[in-house]
Amino acid sequence: MTVSSATSAAASAASSSSSSSSSASMGMSSTDFLNLLVSELQNQDPLNATSTTDFINQLTSYANFTEQQSTNASMTSLASSFSSLVTLNSVNYIGHTVEAKTSTAELTNGSATFGYSLTSAASNVAITIQDSSGNTVWSGKGTGNAGSNSFTWNGQTTSGTQLSDGGQYTIQVTATDAAGNSLLSYTTMTGTVTGIDASGSTPSLLVNGVPVSAANIIGVTS
């Protein structure tokens, strides 16, 4: 076929079709694809016609193209349904007290409850509490039991000043054995689920005002 004439006709067909196409994500709709194929057949050189093999390959490409479009649409619908299901399931946590893997908690009613898990008993456990700016407001010792340990901070600085409710604070735990090896597995916070934050791609639980992924919930106490 004559390449220049086919290309010109195909470009014209694509331009005409694209004005009415709404398939922005693929850049080309099935109608655009068919218009290009028909234009190629109409403008081919009779003395050098498209071979049967090439034509079959193009039809196969069209079949794959439409199948991909259908798959993309199905995946988008599935993702939307999954997000709705996660949100619906997360609503069941509202009003319950949960423990979640995180290091940040909000000071509520003058206290914040944290936890940490150790792989084995520790000989030394140091705890520091930092404000949202990274400043250390409290430091002290913690228990070193193997497994779960809890720590409730009374909202006071090391010097005894009571801090106001509402601020978010982060716990840092350093737990070591006699040889100085770290034994910390993870830290947690405990609080009441007050709502759902669905602004992101995956809904989060609001635990005392702190967003926490439902996947990080390790216990529900009430």
Side-chain angles (χ1 to χ4, degrees), residues 62-132:
Y62 171 69
N64 291 337
F65 174 79
T66 54
E67 182 179 354
Q68 183 63 48
Q69 281 189 316
S70 177
T71 300
N72 289 345
S74 297
M75 290 299 294
T76 299
S77 177
L78 181 61
S80 177
S81 298
F82 178 74
S83 179
S84 298
L85 179 61
V86 171
T87 301
L88 182 61
N89 288 338
S90 297
V91 170
N92 294 326
Y93 284 105
I94 294 179
H96 292 279
T97 299
V98 299
E99 183 180 11
K101 288 184 178 180
T102 182
S103 59
T104 301
E106 184 173 285
L107 188 60
T108 304
N109 297 324
S111 67
T113 301
F114 297 95
Y116 52 94
S117 179
L118 306 181
T119 56
S120 61
S123 58
N124 180 58
V125 177
I127 296 176
T128 60
I129 302 294
Q130 297 180 333
D131 61 19
S132 57

Side-chain angles (χ1 to χ4, degrees), residues 132-149:
S132 57
S133 298
N135 301 311
T136 298
V137 297
W138 185 91
S139 60
K141 298 292 185 178
T143 57
N145 302 320
S148 298
N149 293 263

